[in-house]
Every structure is written in C-alpha cells, then in structure tokens.
Amino acid sequence: MKDMSHLPTFDDVIAAHDRIRPYIHRTPVLTSTYLNELTGAELFFKCENFQKAGAFKVRGASNAVFGLSDADAAKGVATHSSGNHALSLSYAAGRRGIPCHVVMPSTAPQAKKDAVKGYGGIITECEPSTTSREAVFAEVHAATGADFVHPYNDPRVIAGQATCSREFMEQVEGLDSVIAPIGGGGMISGCCLTLSNIAPDVDIFAAEPEQADDAYRSFKAGHIIADDAPVTIADGLKVPLKENTWHFVSNHVTDILTASEQEIIDAMKLTWARMKIVMEPSCAVPLATILKNPDVFKGRRVGVIITGGNVDLDKLPWMQ
Amino acid sequence: MKDMSHLPTFDDVIAAHDRIRPYIHRTPVLTSTYLNELTGAELFFKCENFQKAGAFKVRGASNAVFGLSDADAAKGVATHSSGNHALSLSYAAGRRGIPCHVVMPSTAPQAKKDAVKGYGGIITECEPSTTSREAVFAEVHAATGADFVHPYNDPRVIAGQATCSREFMEQVEGLDSVIAPIGGGGMISGCCLTLSNIAPDVDIFAAEPEQADDAYRSFKAGHIIADDAPVTIADGLKVPLKENTWHFVSNHVTDILTASEQEIIDAMKLTWARMKIVMEPSCAVPLATILKNPDVFKGRRVGVIITGGNVDLDKLPWMQ
C-alpha cells in the first residue's frame, strides 16, 4: 500500500494534465437555452459523459497508471469500484499494456461489467456493501501484488480529476459557481484543489442523493460519517468520503445540496429530452438541486459537471 | 400556393445561411474511436440532434419564415409534418412572432406533439397516411391563408437544409462520402445542392428503412414511386419524394442503401451506448447501412448526418 496521507498540490495537477493529455478528451461544454430559462441561471455543462471510457474517472486512473515506474507497472493495477473507475482503470491499463484487476459489486449494471471486460479488465465480484468490497479486494490485492489505485482517495486520482475543472475554467469565463455530484468525493476534491488555487472566489457546490446523504451529514457534523450500503439510483454516489477527500470537502466546499430519487429521475429525463445527451443518474443530481434551490443559483453563471454516460439502456429509471 | 417548380441554386444556399444564422446552431461534429474500429471507416458525425428545436429541419423552416415579407408573414405559416418540421416551423414562427398552423398524424410521438405546442404551434390532427394528411391540410390552409411551407419540397426549405452540409465541409477536411437518411429527400437534396457546387467529388449516399424503401425503388426505377403509409420505427422517413427532391436525388445521389428495422434499432442503441447522444431512429439508418456494407465505406472518410434528437423517451424501440 502506498502512503495515502500525501495531499496533492496544484503542481501535481499540472503534471497530471501533461501526463494524461494523450489519453483523454478535452470534453466540450454545452449550454441549453431551455434550461437557462427554466432555472433563471446561466448553466454551462462540462460533458465528461463524452470522455474516454465514458466518464471523468479516466483522468485520475490515467494519471495513476502512467505515473508508475516500469517495474511497478509490470505487476499491474487493481481497484474496487462501483463501475466507472473500473472502466477507466481498465482503459488506462490497456493503453499502457498492463493487467488491471477489478473488484466490483455483483449488482453493478451489466453494461458496466461488459465494458470493463471489453477494455480487458479482470473482474472479481463482491457483495454490494463497502465492507464486502474491501474484504474481497484485500484478497485480490494480496494475490497479485498489483498497484492499488483507490477510486477517489488516492492523491494521484484526485490530481487527475482536478484537470477537469482546470479545463472548465479555461473554457468558460466568469463562472460564479461550480457544482458536481459527490459520492466518495474525488471529483469535488479535484474541483477544490484547482479552484482554491486558480479561482478562489468561485463557489463550489456538491450535490448528493437524499438517500445517500453521508457527505451532507458529514459536512454538517464536521467529521466523516460513512453509511455501509445506501440505496439510490445514482449508483456512482454510494461510497463514503475518506480522509483525503474529506480534507478538501471540509476546507473548500461552499455547501452540499440534496435531491430525492424522483427529483433526480426527473432531472435526468429532462436533460436527455432537451440536451439530447445520454448521462447517468448521478449526473442529474446537480441539476435536480439547482431546480430545487433556485434562489441559490438565479442570475449566476454556474458550471455543472456531467460526470459520466455509462447507463444500462435496458434499465432506464423512468421506465421501472 | 407558391411555385414549387423553382429549383434552388447555391446562391440561395449562401443567402439562406446568412438569413438563418442568428436562429440556428453551428452544430458540432463528433467522432468515436470505437465506431471507427468497428466499421474500418473514419466516421464524422454532424450532430443536428443538438440543433435548435432538436433537428436539422429548423434550417429550412427558418429560411422560409425569415424570408417572408412582413405582409405575408402577418398571415402566419402552415404545414403538414411527421414531427420535426412542425417543431422547427413553430420555433421559427415563434422567433418571428407569427402564428404557425400544423397538421400532424394522430400517431406522432406525444413528445413531438407536446414540443410543437411548447413552441406555440397550433395542431390539427389527421390520419397517419399521406392522403389524409394532404386532405386535412387543404382545409386548414384554406381557412387561414397562411403561407404553406412544405416539409421538404419547398425550394426555400431545400436551400435551408443545404446549409448543413456547407458547415460540414468547413468543419471536416477531405471527406470521401456523405451519408444521410432519406424520407422526403429534403436533407439529401440539400447535400446534393451544396456538394455538387463546392465538392463534386464527394459521394452522396442516402440511407432508408427497408420497410419504407420508396426512394430506393424510385432511384432504381428512374421515376418517383410513392407509398401511402409505410410502417417503420424511423418515423421521420415515411414520406415520399416529390418533384424537387427527386430532381436532386436522381441527378446527384451515388446510391441508396437500406436497412431492416432490427438493424436500425441495433445501430441506434449502439450509438446511444457508445457516443452518449440521444438521437432518433431515423438517424441510425446511415450507421446501420454502413455496418451492413463495410466494403463500400472501409478506409474512407465518411460524413454521417445525425438528423435529429426528438425521441419519445417513454417508448424506446429496444424496450418494446
């Protein structure tokens, strides 16, 4: 295991960006007149659903994989993930030509399992709880000696995710706020790292499902509160904060807002219908909270991070 | 009724582009490494699903609406349409502040009906056949005196649609072929008009559902063959060619390729899953024919026009 207590700096973000640029897309920013009129805000959507491997997580995964020495890389990489980090690490490992071991909940969408295998990842299934996931992972990790790349607490991962908001600030001038979903806090920590360095006046909002509101409760309590197996359709947001992401969240986040399952589904369907993009339930949480808290965002220029597009098209939440 | 026999020229296209630029998006071109590897071709997708009102048809509709004299405009515009032209004409009329009368099949997707009303269009329903549609329209037209904007045979509409391939040629260098779906032939006629003037060496392919292959049969027979009420999930492609679109198709199209319903559904789902974009069944017909005819496209740079994104999200074809 490597030292997780090292906090990444903005120099790490710049180095990460240079390292991963050949393997990622500079994703586009889309706008919607309709959604602007509906919310009274000026919304800019950073479309990481168009990212390589279908999600922002390829940024952090690529930074970890391509930062390894040849000797360490030869043993491969390993992780546990609710899906997109698994895809992304498999993609990055494939680009470097090294093995990638993935521990994944048996309940993860079939589309994500197939995609991991499609990128060459080797899956070991666990139960859909944090405790089971960590126990099974320990076995796999011991057996392979692969480099552990934590889905969000790894400093290399946080530095990689931070490249997203760096691009965003280059693409859109004068943002008042940035909002992104929060699960384990990797993307939000990346936003905190970048914005506290290059745009400290920009507010940072995190959006979370009411039914998996451990980050919200942690933020209000002042210490990490972790739930073992929350139930929400936003399946990327079930994991708890860890010490490194808690550092960034507790120091730099303006507020955490929550939305109900129905509000998330409605915002997801609305985005598909009006913006014509395929995105995951997790990505709809920010828009759901903007619609729920119009006074917070009205008249402001708001950057919304659409985190991924890996959806099981046979199981859309409004059809269940 | 105005004279439909006037064929638009490339000067009309340039004038149309200048006229409509404030009301349309210059839509992005997306690529997919996965689909390139799958087809062996280099594919460039012109995303008119991100267009205003959700489809390319806003180009032709805006050209007609904003080209009217103030006196003519005051009486409004009217049309019959399977959906997207209705949306687009309603949008354009709304931007000019004039009424828009729409005759629409009772079977059109509810999402399209709602969207027409959302843009202020006034709907009169007809039966889902060409004969019923034309009969009901004649009544509406006589009652209102509105300017008739035919969905695809109107020269102003063809000149407007032709701006799409003009942008496409500016955005992507060295295309060998362009492929688009064909229903009434408005988009394909626009491609023919533009490419025959500025890029005559580029092949033009039209893609059509097997179950609504009247354009294919017309092309092979050398004269227009019209079906009254074909059944296909590609609901934008049910209408027959008319004299102006037939002129362009018969003179400039390289070939017309067809695909089965299942091939269209598979290509649609594949595009949603890998490109993360919401597009209509009609737009999947080109990719379906590319997958079906690899030898025609292998090793070539192929421009694919994604014509629209107005889908009823409660009725996806792979879930029926």
Side-chain angles (χ1 to χ4, degrees):
Chain A
M1 291 269 175
K2 63 183 46 56
D3 177 18
M4 285 293 186
S5 65
H6 162 68
L7 288 168
T9 66
F10 193 63
D11 284 342
D12 295 325
V13 179
I14 296 169
H17 218 164
D18 290 340
R19 182 178 292 129
I20 69 180
R21 207 169 269 119
Y23 313 106
I24 67 165
H25 289 307
R26 184 181 170 92
T27 53
V29 174
L30 299 183
T31 60
S32 163
T33 306
Y34 176 84
L35 292 177
N36 286 348
E37 286 170 2
L38 189 67
T39 59
E42 207 175 346
L43 304 180
F44 300 87
F45 296 90
K46 173 74 170 161
C47 287
E48 292 287 298
N49 53 329
F50 295 152
Q51 187 51 270
K52 284 283 178 190
F56 78 89
K57 298 220 172 190
V58 80
R59 297 174 182 270
S62 299
N63 190 40
V65 163
F66 286 95
L68 289 174
S69 69
D70 287 346
D72 286 341
K75 286 178 279 179
V77 288
T79 197
H80 48 74
S81 164
S82 65
N84 280 334
H85 177 65
L87 279 191
S88 299
L89 198 65
S90 300
Y91 162 82
R95 290 296 296 266
R96 187 153 181 187
I98 63 176
C100 177
H101 302 276
V102 176
V103 173
M104 211 166 169
S106 54
T107 52
Q110 189 60 42
K112 289 189 178 178
K113 292 182 193 169
D114 291 346
V116 166
K117 287 179 198 159
Y119 286 125
I122 304 151
I123 297 176
T124 307
E125 291 195 354
C126 66
E127 295 305 306
S129 71
T130 303
T131 44
S132 166
R133 178 186 303 208
E134 292 185 349
V136 173
F137 179 77
E139 291 170 29
V140 171
H141 186 238
T144 59
D147 188 276
F148 173 38
V149 184
H150 189 281
Y152 51 88
N153 202 48
D154 190 309
R156 303 168 297 177
V157 169
I158 294 172
Q161 319 306 33
T163 62
C164 177
S165 42
R166 188 178 184 223
E167 285 176 17
F168 209 172
M169 297 308 290
E170 291 167 1
Q171 291 169 302
V172 185
E173 285 182 9
L175 285 179
D176 297 303
S177 319
V178 167
I179 184 167
I182 188 163
M187 168 52 79
I188 284 289
S189 293
C191 290
C192 292
L193 175 51
T194 291
L195 298 179
S196 65
N197 276 279
I198 66 173
D201 293 338
V202 175
D203 287 334
I204 302 169
F205 291 94
E208 193 173 35
E210 275 174 16
Q211 293 189 189
D213 69 344
D214 52 287
Y216 170 82
R217 286 180 289 125
S218 302
F219 189 71
K220 299 301 176 191
H223 58 84
I224 297 179
I225 298 171
D227 295 329
D228 196 44
V231 175
T232 170
I233 54 152
D235 64 282
L237 307 182
K238 293 176 178 179
V239 289
L241 296 168
K242 294 274 184 187
E243 63 277 18
N244 287 343
T245 54
W246 171 245
H247 165 83
F248 287 105
V249 168
S250 58
N251 280 290
H252 297 294
V253 163
T254 306
D255 204 358
I256 300 184
L257 306 170
T258 63
S260 71
E261 297 293 292
Q262 192 58 52
E263 288 162 348
I264 295 167
I265 293 170
D266 290 348
M268 178 181 175
K269 193 175 178 188
L270 183 67
T271 311
W272 286 43
R274 301 305 300 220
M275 294 187 65
K276 317 299 181 189
I277 59 174
V278 169
M279 66 174 202
E280 301 175 18
S282 301
C283 316
V285 187
L287 181 61
T289 64
I290 291 169
L291 289 166
K292 196 172 184 173
N293 299 277
D295 293 346
V296 177
F297 298 99
K298 210 165 191 167
R300 298 171 72 87
R301 288 166 71 84
V302 182
V304 183
I305 300 179
I306 304 283
T307 45
N310 295 319
V311 180
D312 189 340
L313 292 171
D314 293 316
K315 274 179 76 178
L316 296 174
W318 55 82
M319 298 181 111
Q320 288 167 1
Chain B
M1 292 270 177
K2 64 184 44 60
D3 177 17
M4 286 291 187
S5 66
H6 161 68
L7 288 168
T9 65
F10 193 63
D11 284 343
D12 294 325
V13 179
I14 294 169
H17 218 163
D18 291 340
R19 182 179 292 129
I20 70 180
R21 205 168 271 121
Y23 312 106
I24 66 164
H25 289 306
R26 182 181 172 94
T27 53
V29 174
L30 298 184
T31 61
S32 163
T33 306
Y34 176 85
L35 292 177
N36 286 348
E37 286 170 4
L38 189 68
T39 59
E42 207 174 347
L43 305 179
F44 300 87
F45 295 90
K46 174 75 169 160
C47 287
E48 292 287 300
N49 53 329
F50 295 151
Q51 187 51 271
K52 284 283 179 190
F56 78 88
K57 299 220 172 191
V58 80
R59 297 173 182 270
S62 297
N63 190 40
V65 164
F66 286 94
L68 289 174
S69 69
D70 286 347
D72 286 342
K75 286 177 278 178
V77 288
T79 197
H80 48 74
S81 164
S82 64
N84 280 335
H85 177 66
L87 278 192
S88 298
L89 198 66
S90 300
Y91 162 82
R95 291 296 296 265
R96 187 154 182 187
I98 63 177
C100 176
H101 303 277
V102 176
V103 173
M104 212 167 169
S106 54
T107 52
Q110 189 59 42
K112 289 189 178 179
K113 292 181 193 169
D114 290 345
V116 166
K117 288 178 198 160
Y119 286 125
I122 304 150
I123 297 176
T124 307
E125 292 195 353
C126 66
E127 295 304 307
S129 71
T130 302
T131 43
S132 166
R133 178 186 303 209
E134 292 184 350
V136 173
F137 178 78
E139 292 171 29
V140 171
H141 186 235
T144 60
D147 187 277
F148 173 37
V149 184
H150 189 280
Y152 52 88
N153 202 47
D154 190 309
R156 304 168 296 178
V157 169
I158 294 172
Q161 319 307 33
T163 62
C164 177
S165 42
R166 187 179 185 224
E167 285 176 17
F168 209 173
M169 297 309 289
E170 291 167 0
Q171 291 169 302
V172 185
E173 286 183 8
L175 284 178
D176 297 304
S177 318
V178 167
I179 184 167
I182 188 162
M187 167 52 78
I188 284 288
S189 294
C191 291
C192 292
L193 175 51
T194 291
L195 298 179
S196 65
N197 277 279
I198 66 173
D201 294 337
V202 175
D203 286 335
I204 301 167
F205 291 94
E208 193 174 36
E210 275 174 19
Q211 291 188 191
D213 68 344
D214 53 286
Y216 170 82
R217 286 179 287 126
S218 302
F219 189 71
K220 299 301 176 191
H223 58 85
I224 297 178
I225 298 171
D227 296 328
D228 195 44
V231 175
T232 170
I233 55 152
D235 64 281
L237 307 182
K238 295 178 177 178
V239 290
L241 295 167
K242 294 274 184 186
E243 63 278 17
N244 287 343
T245 55
W246 171 244
H247 165 83
F248 287 105
V249 168
S250 58
N251 281 289
H252 297 294
V253 163
T254 305
D255 203 358
I256 300 183
L257 305 170
T258 64
S260 71
E261 296 295 291
Q262 192 58 51
E263 289 162 347
I264 296 167
I265 294 170
D266 290 347
M268 178 181 175
K269 194 177 177 188
L270 183 66
T271 311
W272 286 44
R274 302 303 303 219
M275 294 188 64
K276 318 298 181 189
I277 59 173
V278 169
M279 64 174 204
E280 300 174 19
S282 300
C283 317
V285 187
L287 180 61
T289 64
I290 291 169
L291 289 166
K292 196 173 184 172
N293 299 277
D295 293 346
V296 177
F297 298 99
K298 210 165 191 168
R300 295 170 73 87
R301 287 166 71 85
V302 183
V304 182
I305 300 178
I306 304 282
T307 45
N310 295 319
V311 180
D312 189 339
L313 292 172
D314 293 317
K315 273 179 76 177
L316 296 175
W318 55 80
M319 300 181 110
Q320 287 167 4

